[in-house]
Amino acid sequence: MMATGHDEPTAPGPRGVMLALSDDADILRTIDAPGSGMQVVRRCADTAELLSVALAGLGTLAVIGTDFDELDRSVLDRLNRAGVTGLLLAPDADRERWESTGWPVESTAASATVVCARLQSIARSRVSSPGPRSAAPAISTTVTPATPASPPADAAAADLWDEFDAATPPASPPSFSPRRDIMGPAGTPEIAHTEGAAVGAAGDAERGRLVVVWGPHGAPGRSTVAAALASGLAGDTILVDADIEAPSLTQLLGLPEDSSALATAARLAARGRLDAETLDRILVPISEGRRLLTGLGRPGRWRELPPAAMPEVWERCRHAVSWTVVDVAGGQVDDAVDDFTLEPGRGAVSADLLRSADVVVIVGAGDPIGVRRLLQLMDDLDGDMRPTGRVEVVVNRVRASAAGPSPQRAVREALARFGGLEEVIVLPEDAQTADRCLMEGRSVLEAAPGSPLGRALAELVDRVDPNSGTSARADRAARGARLQCLVSRLRTHRRPKAANDPTATARPSAAPAGAASSPAVGAATPAPPPPPQAGLGATPESNAVHSAIAAVNAQASMPQPAADNSARRRSGRHRA
C-alpha cells in the first residue's frame, strides 16, 4: 500500500485535444505522433459531446470544422467560458466571416502537418510558461514487493510537458495571422466583433450611435418613448424591439405580426452570414428613413437571441444608419452565467446593450409606485452594470391625480431629494393623444407633434440629439393646430347665425317676364342682389352668404317707418 502527498495539484497542460471533424484520420495521426507534445482525448460526434468534454475539463484545445453539427458563435462562446480554445477549419470562401468570431481559422485544404503546427502555436501563446511543476512526490511508506512499481501520474504529465517544450513547430504558413492568437486576460481569445478593428478611424466616423430605452418593471411607456425617439432623431433610424418579456412595437405601430426579424438576424450573425444586404431585406419600413427590426412573438423565445451573436447585429445596425434605438425589457438585469452549463443568463443581451450604448434612456412612471421603482433601479446601477454612455431619466404620465396639485414640481423634487437626479424630462399625462396614435399606428411625434405629450417628447429628442431640431418642428405644429382650431370655431360660430337669420333665407320673388317692380312713391330703389356664381365656385355656403348680404342691403335701402316721421314732426324739425 502506498500513500502520496501533494502540496497543490499540478496545473493541467495544453495537450488534451478534442476533434470535431467529419474526416479527422490524418490530423489524428499527426497530433498523436511522438514528439508533438499533444494528445487527442476525444473524437466528438456532435455539439453536445463537444461541450460535455469541454465542461468536464478533459481538454483545453479543439480542432473544429465549420460544417460540424450546427456550429455557431454560441458554441464557441461556451467553449471559451470553459477555458477551451483552438482552431477552426473553414473553406477558403468562408474564412473571412468565421474570423470575426475571434477564433483562429485555417483552410480545410491545409495539410495535417500545418494544422498541427498551428495548434502548437496557439497552445504556446495560451500558456507562455508551463507553471510550477511539482517534484516527485514523497513516498511516506514502503512499497510491498508484490506491488509492481508504476510511474505516478504527475511524472507522466511532466514527461508530456517536456515533450511539448521540445516540439519545434515548422514555419507558419503565409495565411497565419498572429493577431488572431492574442489571448485575453482569462486565457480566452480576444473576440473582435465584425470589422471593428479593421475599420479604424474612418470607420468610426461612419459608425452610427446606439440608444437603449430601459426602465423599471410595469408599463411606464418605454415602447412609446422608443417609437418617438426613432421618428424624431435626425437621419435614418432603425428601431429594434429587443424586449424579451413583452414585445409590443409591432402592435404599437399597426404592423402585421410576422416572423421575428431580430431572431432571423441573430441566427445569421451566429453563423457569420449577416451582411448589410441581408439586414436591409429583413427590416420592415415604417416611414421615410425609419425601419423596424421586429422582436420575438413570445417571451419564451429569449434563447433565440444568443449573447455571443448579438454584438454582430448591433454593429451591422450601427454601420447601416445614423441611429439605432433599442427597446429592451424592464427591471433588473440578470446576466449571471450558469455554473453547470456555462450558458449566459436571461438578461445577458440587455446587460451588453447597457454597457455599450451611447445613450441610455431610463423611463419611469409618474406615480408614487413608479417613482419608487425608478429610484431603486437607479440605485442598483453600479459596478459592471453602470452604463458607459450618457444617461437620460424620463418620468412619464405625470398627472395631478397621482402626484398632487403641482405634479411636475413634486416629481422633480422627489427625484432630486432621494436620488440626486437634477435633470429629468417630465412627460405629462395625455391619454387621448396616446390612444389616438395607437389607433392610427403611428408614433406621437408623427401623428400629434403639437400635443403636450408630443412637445415634451420633442424636448427629449433634442436632449439626445441637439441637431435634430424636433422641438422647433413641434412648436410650429402646435401653432398650426391652434390656428386651425380658431378658424374652425369661427366657422362653427358663423354658420348657424346665417342659417337661422330669416332675412338670409328670404329670396326676392320671381316676377313675370317683362314686368317691372313698383316701389312706393318716394322710396329708394333697392339694389338688386348679386347673382350666385355659377360653375365650380357655386356652393350652398356661398349662395347663403350672398343672400344674407343682399338682405342686409335691401333692409338698409327701405324707407323709415311712420313712427320716426311722427317723432320728427313733434320735434318741430319736419319740413313739408
Side-chain angles (χ1 to χ4, degrees), residues 365-368 396-408 411 427-429:
D367 52 76
N396 190 22
R397 301 185 61 188
V398 177
R399 54 200 184 277
S401 59
S406 299
Q408 295 190 6
V411 169
L427 305 182
E429 170 73 7

Side-chain angles (χ1 to χ4, degrees), residues 153-212:
D154 289 344
D159 293 341
L160 283 176
W161 265 117
D162 295 336
E163 181 182 336
F164 179 78
D165 291 340
T168 303
S172 301
S175 60
F176 173 65
S177 175
R179 186 181 61 84
R180 290 293 179 180
D181 294 331
I182 297 176
M183 296 297 156
T188 57
E190 252 185 50
I191 299 178
H193 300 300
T194 60
E195 309 135 10
V199 171
D204 292 340
E206 300 175 357
R207 191 168 177 257
R209 284 168 286 182
L210 182 67
V211 180
V212 176

Side-chain angles (χ1 to χ4, degrees), residues 98-434:
W98 281 105
E99 285 177 351
S100 64
T101 62
W103 277 54
V105 182
E106 189 58 69
S107 174
T108 53
S111 63
T113 305
V114 173
V115 173
C116 182
R118 184 78 181 272
L119 197 61
Q120 288 175 335
S121 176
I122 295 171
R124 287 182 179 277
S125 61
R126 175 187 174 90
V127 184
S128 58
S129 61
R133 300 174 187 170
S134 59
I139 301 176
S140 58
T141 58
T142 60
V143 181
T144 58
T147 304
S150 60
D154 289 344
D159 293 341
L160 283 176
W161 265 117
D162 295 336
E163 181 182 336
F164 179 78
D165 291 340
T168 303
S172 301
S175 60
F176 173 65
S177 175
R179 186 181 61 84
R180 290 293 179 180
D181 294 331
I182 297 176
M183 296 297 156
T188 57
E190 252 185 50
I191 299 178
H193 300 300
T194 60
E195 309 135 10
V199 171
D204 292 340
E206 300 175 357
R207 191 168 177 257
R209 284 168 286 182
L210 182 67
V211 180
V212 176
V213 182
W214 183 47
H217 280 299
R222 294 185 303 270
S223 300
T224 301
V225 173
L229 284 172
S231 62
L233 291 171
D236 294 343
T237 308
I238 293 179
L239 178 61
V240 184
D241 193 351
D243 190 342
I244 61 175
E245 298 290 344
S248 59
L249 284 177
T250 301
Q251 293 78 18
L252 183 68
L253 298 175
L255 300 174
E257 191 168 353
D258 204 351
S259 60
S260 173
L262 185 60
T264 302
R267 286 194 299 269
L268 294 172
R271 296 180 174 272
R273 298 185 179 276
L274 183 64
D275 53 14
E277 182 180 356
T278 306
L279 178 65
D280 186 69
R281 286 201 304 265
I282 63 178
L283 290 172
V284 180
I286 305 174
S287 59
E288 184 178 359
R290 308 290 186 267
R291 292 175 292 177
L292 173 67
L293 196 61
T294 56
L296 304 175
R298 297 186 304 274
R301 298 175 56 187
W302 63 273
R303 286 186 175 85
E304 297 184 27
L305 306 180
M310 298 312 295
E312 171 81 6
V313 179
W314 311 137
E315 286 296 327
R316 288 296 178 185
C317 292
R318 281 175 178 266
H319 285 86
V321 293
S322 302
W323 290 94
T324 302
V325 182
V326 186
D327 179 20
V328 299
Q332 298 293 335
V333 177
D334 181 17
D335 63 336
V337 179
D338 189 275
D339 294 334
F340 181 72
T341 63
L342 298 182
E343 186 179 4
R346 188 185 187 98
V349 175
S350 299
D352 180 69
L353 281 170
L354 292 176
R355 297 188 189 103
S356 61
D358 299 295
V359 181
V360 177
V361 179
I362 303 178
V363 183
D367 52 76
I369 298 176
V371 171
R372 178 176 177 272
R373 289 176 176 175
L374 177 60
L375 290 173
Q376 288 178 343
L377 188 70
M378 297 295 296
D379 187 56
D380 294 337
L381 285 180
D382 54 359
D384 294 338
M385 287 306 302
R386 179 173 295 276
T388 57
R390 183 159 49 95
V391 177
E392 296 289 346
V393 180
V394 178
V395 183
N396 190 22
R397 301 185 61 188
V398 177
R399 54 200 184 277
S401 59
S406 299
Q408 295 190 6
R409 188 179 68 178
V411 169
R412 294 180 188 274
E413 290 180 354
L415 293 177
R417 179 181 179 184
F418 299 104
L421 304 175
E422 300 293 341
E423 297 183 0
V424 179
I425 301 294
V426 178
L427 305 182
E429 170 73 7
D430 195 355
Q432 183 178 2
T433 299

